[in-house]
Amino acid sequence: MAVQQQINKFIQGIGASPGIIIGKAYLVERFKVRLPQKQIDPKGAEKEVERFLSAIEESRDQLMEIKEKILDPQVRKHSFILDVHLMILNDEMLLQDTIDTIRKKKVNAEWALDLTLERLDTAFKAIEDEYLRERRSDLHYVCARIFRNLLGKKEDDITKIKGKVIVVAHDLSPADTLQMNLKHVAGFITDIGGKVSHTAILSRSLGIPAVVGLEVATSLINGGDLLIIDGETGEMVINPTEEVSQSFLERKRRAKYIEREILKYASLPAETRDGVRVRLQANIEMVEEIPSAKMHGAEGIGLYRTEILYLNRKDLPTEEEHFQIYRRLAENIHPATGTIRTLDIGGDKFLSGYSANNEMNPALGLRAIRFSMRETDIFKTQLRGILRASAYGKVRILFPMISGIEEIRQAKVILEEVKKGLVKARIPFDQEIKVGAMIEIPSASVTADLLAREVDFFSIGTNDLIQYVLAVDRINEHVSYLYEPLHPAVLRIIRGVVETAHQAGIPIAICGEMAAEPTYALVLLGLGLDEFSMTPASIPKMKKVFRMSRFEESRSLVKQLLQFATASEIERFVKSWMAKRFPEDFIECYPEEIKA
Ligand code: PEP
Ligand code: MG
């Protein structure tokens, strides 16, 4: 049923994949089936069970068919999501629970499945990790498919989208997106979902603009409405006036211009005017991001977070999987270096099936290297994969959450054991592979001189370092006002660790979010860091600032700001210093009184 036509209606959602796009809406109706609830004749229970099982069978066939029909290799990469859905279809809990409910409660299959879904959904909601919680949607996609098959409802055929459209849906299952001819899709918008929902991940990797979490989009949009979306800011306008369209297009031109201008710095070295050279590298979570890292001028991967390999699945990655992925990293980043961080699970990311999921203080619990030291088989499998890949390019190993020298020694003992196994099996690897420690726990920063004897490099993880130094949970919005990267304690610690590393003759990197903030660029340079690792898109901006500056002035800036007693004084000082020094680039940093 058509809804009243909206004119120039603005809705704010969540920007999931950047880009500004204007196009016609293509509405996809999904997940809105009304479920009949019927008590059944006790004799009919087995027939109902059969009906349920054949809906499962039909769903399985449909998913297999979708999977087989994906031809585009870019899209095929994401088809593992369909395997997850096939696994859910085989899930013992889902099947047995529903069958038991049909038999015991004598209810129809739709009702029984809905009750099972409710129970599983409650269990999922309790999970704190955003990524895993989002995987709840997979369960819903699968159940929606079973419901449709139980009810004999046909899906609207989205394989035949024509023209270039913005796909509008309450939610899109991976099966939906994978079926579409993405050449005809200019953008995606959905009522629900967050930054790590499948639609968001897929559209980012395909470079299709997307806005999610719009809540009311499908109830306000008619098929064929003209839409504008800004995948960066999360804005969306239905049937915009000419004036609004023009202002968005102007914004798009400006964004393109800035990106082009900034990208000019990507291929230039990060060198100050007085000849000090630092290295800018990329933080990545998937090897698919390597082309973007290179395009933005990364001189290697400073942090490959490997957690994604372990998430969104019931089993663990095999040695072969680790090896193949790390080998791709080593080969694709060659001749630069790829820094692989071993599993940093725990804290805010959990692995299904591990008891530590119920910890009271997960950030202080069985996290990262502590988890690896307890689950040594998981650790060794990953280390073998990394070592084997080291025969194909330059890789180095980074251990997360090191708190002291014993931990690093124990980790190295295990690494040596794994190396010996490979030597014995005559499997090649880089015998000289470099090993580093993340400095993100205060005890590690205080004992950095001892740690420096054990490792080849340091990488400061300011995201965690700030949380542990200031006792401020990095994901708790109630105390976020206390999360201050320029706190004197944080700056003194960074200064101390850098000095220690240099005295020991090892390089020191920074890989927390702080490293991607252009306003802090000279503070970090002046503190003496050698390498900066950040999200790829931030590299050109940071290079630009370094290239406009002199190392000497950054030293003097740091000397002055270390005399202030509070983070807010330091912040004000740094901002006005940057605004005066680089008026064109840091105009937004002018404190109000300077602007006036
Ligand atoms: C950090 O803590 O700064 C860091 C880079 O690691 P993560 O954000 O993955 O904990
Ligand atoms: Mg960390």
Side-chain angles (χ1 to χ4, degrees), residues 493-512:
I493 286 181
I494 298 178
R495 181 185 56 172
V497 178
V498 171
E499 278 172 8
T500 309
H502 286 166
Q503 273 159 19
I506 61 170
I508 176 147
I510 176 168
C511 62

Side-chain angles (χ1 to χ4, degrees), residues 303 305 341 344 349 367-368 400-401 438-440 460-465 467-468 474 511-512:
L303 173 67
R305 292 181 166 103
R341 183 177 72 181
D344 184 2
K349 322 174 197 98
R367 202 191 141 176
M401 299 286 298
M438 291 278 292
I439 304 291
E440 49 188 347
I460 305 183
T462 45
N463 302 342
D464 277 312
L465 186 64
Q467 97 162 332
Y468 295 126
R474 65 192 254 189
C511 62

Side-chain angles (χ1 to χ4, degrees), residues 396-397 399 408 412 415 433-437 454-457:
R396 51 182 196 176
I397 300 173
F399 292 127
I408 195 84
K412 281 172 62 187
L415 178 64
I433 192 163
K434 300 256 186 294
V435 173
E454 298 287 336
V455 293
D456 304 300
F457 68 99

Side-chain angles (χ1 to χ4, degrees), residues 270-285:
E271 187 173 330
T272 63
R273 294 201 161 163
D274 46 355
V276 171
R277 180 92 158 78
V278 287
R279 234 155 31 113
L280 298 202
Q281 301 182 312
N283 289 355
I284 58 165
E285 302 193 15

